[in-house]
Structure formats: structure tokens, C-alpha cells
Amino acid sequence: VVPTTLSALLSAEPAGAQSAAQPDEEAATRLDTLLAGETSIAEFSSIIDDPSLLTAPERSDLLQLIGAGWRDEPNAWQAALTAHAEATTTTLTSVAIQEPSTVQLVSPEAVLPFFVRNDLPFAANVVLVSTPDNLRLDVERTLTVRAEPGVNTRVEVPVRARVGSGEVTIELRLLSPTFEQVGPVQRAQVTVRAEWERIGIIGLGAIIVLLLGAGFIRTIRRRRRTRAAEGVDGPTIDQGTTEENTAREPEPDRPVDRRDE
């Protein structure tokens, strides 16, 4: 190293220089991955009231991971990159629709319950979009949901059976206020049996009519038996006593014919 002055440097003849370093394709690929993760977090962060609560920590982590100090510790850098990728995935999947169960719909109108999971420490504002795959079911297409932190928020989707019976698949997806998809798409299987309610009401009505008719018939028969029993057990007439009483009764006076005298 030879010290020199600034004036001597400015008056010196220019000298060419060429770098012998080779481009690090692996590091460039990892940087692209980090930048893509930051973009995903920025899009996802629109679901909370203050997006900087997610974007600021992500930016800080990215700046630390691209520091030159990791060049001498490749194994530790790889471990830090892996941990950061897992944390990014955990954040992006922290709000999602719980897997729905199969539903048996036996009434023309009903409310289907679904649950939105929120593992973030912040409340999330999302839109639940429900899309049936056929016209057997009319579904409330969009519902605004505020998912509270750390719990599963119940969302009730009104549905109405329209045409006959059969199988209907409802596609469920969450959107952010900026229309970015949040979490994976879920599908709910609904078996529509709307006419069963009508058949059940008719059957129940028929049973009630039969019970009332059977009770009415039993009442009439019971009254007839009571009347018949009263006729058999009433006062009897003694034939001998009747003849004796008849013999003792005085005969009525006969008119006297004066011509016989």
C-alpha cells in the first residue's frame, strides 16, 4: 500500500481494472426467493388494519439475510434462509377456511355454517366468496368477515334449494380487501333433499289424521258398548207376578140392559 494525495491521484494516468470474481447464481436465486416472499407478505398484509405490522418485520429480516456477513458462514446462512421461508409460509397460511364437512340439506331454506381460522395476533378483514357448481342451490355469494385473532370465526351462509335434488359442490375462497386470495380454496359437499321436508309434513299430517280417526272410532264403539250393557242390566219383569196382579184387578162395570128385567 502506497499512500498518496488526492491531487496526485487526480493528475495520475487512468489505469484499467477488471474483476476476477465469478457471479454467484445461487445467491441471486435466493435473493429472488426472498423478494418474492416479501411481495406475498405485502399483498397478504392488506387483511389487517395496519399492514406495516407485517411488512416492516419482513423487510427487516430480508435486509439482514442479504448482508455480506453470511458469506463466511454458508451453513448458518442456509439455516437462516430455511427458517425465514418457513416463517413466511406460516404467516401466509395463518388465515384460512377450515375444511368443511358434508352437509345434508333437507329443507328448502337453511344456513350453512363455515369457520374462518385466524392464527395472527391481529384481527383480519376478509371476504368469503361461495360459488355453487350447479343451479340446484342458490347461495349468498359474498359475505364480509372480520376474523378475530387466535380463534375460529363462524360464518353463516344462507342457501335456498331451487331445482330438485342432487349433489352440489360449493367452492369457498377468501379474498383480501385488495382482492388477493387468502389461504387455500375449500370445497363443501352438499346433498340437497329439499322435497323430504314436504314429504315429511305430508306423512306427519297423514299420521295425525289416522290417529284422530282411530280415536273417534274407539269413542263411538265405547259408547255403543255402554248403551248395550245398560239395556241388558235394566229391571226384569216377573211373568207370574204379572198374571196374579191381573187376576186381582176388578173388572169394569158392565152396562145393564133394562129390557132383560
Side-chain angles (χ1 to χ4, degrees), residues 30-41:
R30 292 176 176 177
L31 178 59
D32 290 340
T33 302
L34 290 173
L35 293 175
E38 183 187 28
T39 301
S40 298
I41 292 292

Side-chain angles (χ1 to χ4, degrees), residues 56-249:
E58 176 68 17
R59 187 65 171 176
S60 176
D61 291 346
L62 187 147
L63 293 176
Q64 291 179 4
L65 289 171
I66 62 176
W70 296 102
R71 300 288 296 178
D72 298 332
E73 300 179 3
N75 293 333
W77 188 38
Q78 180 60 47
L81 290 172
T82 301
H84 178 76
E86 293 176 354
T88 301
T89 301
T90 300
T91 301
L92 295 176
T93 58
S94 58
V95 178
I97 304 171
Q98 292 285 78
E99 184 177 357
S101 58
T102 301
V103 179
Q104 296 285 340
L105 184 63
V106 296
S107 60
E109 296 183 1
V111 174
L112 302 184
F114 301 108
F115 293 89
V116 176
R117 172 178 53 83
N118 181 13
D119 294 335
L120 291 174
F122 324 107
N125 304 302
V126 292
V127 178
L128 177 63
V129 180
S130 307
T131 307
D133 64 347
N134 59 64
L135 297 178
R136 290 189 178 95
L137 208 59
D138 189 11
V139 181
E140 187 75 22
R141 294 302 181 97
T142 59
L143 289 172
T144 302
V145 182
R146 184 172 177 84
E148 296 301 323
V151 297
N152 294 333
T153 303
R154 179 186 176 97
V155 184
E156 295 183 344
V157 178
V159 298
R160 183 173 67 252
R162 299 180 60 184
V163 181
S165 302
E167 301 292 333
V168 179
T169 300
I170 301 178
E171 183 182 81
L172 304 170
R173 66 175 65 237
L174 287 180
L175 297 181
S176 69
T178 57
F179 303 103
E180 299 293 337
Q181 181 170 322
V182 178
V185 176
Q186 297 287 358
R187 289 174 175 82
Q189 301 296 328
V190 180
T191 301
V192 181
R193 294 288 183 268
E195 75 278 5
W196 284 11
E197 183 183 45
R198 192 177 302 109
I199 295 173
I201 292 174
I202 294 173
L204 182 60
I207 292 173
I208 293 174
V209 170
L210 290 175
L211 292 176
L212 292 177
F216 182 70
I217 293 172
R218 290 181 60 186
T219 301
I220 293 176
R221 289 181 175 178
R222 185 168 58 251
R223 289 182 178 179
R224 289 180 177 177
R225 287 195 299 267
T226 302
R227 291 176 181 177
E230 290 177 353
V232 172
D233 298 337
T236 58
I237 300 175
D238 189 347
Q239 186 67 24
T241 305
T242 303
E243 292 177 355
E244 182 180 354
N245 292 338
T246 302
R248 293 178 181 178
E249 290 179 358

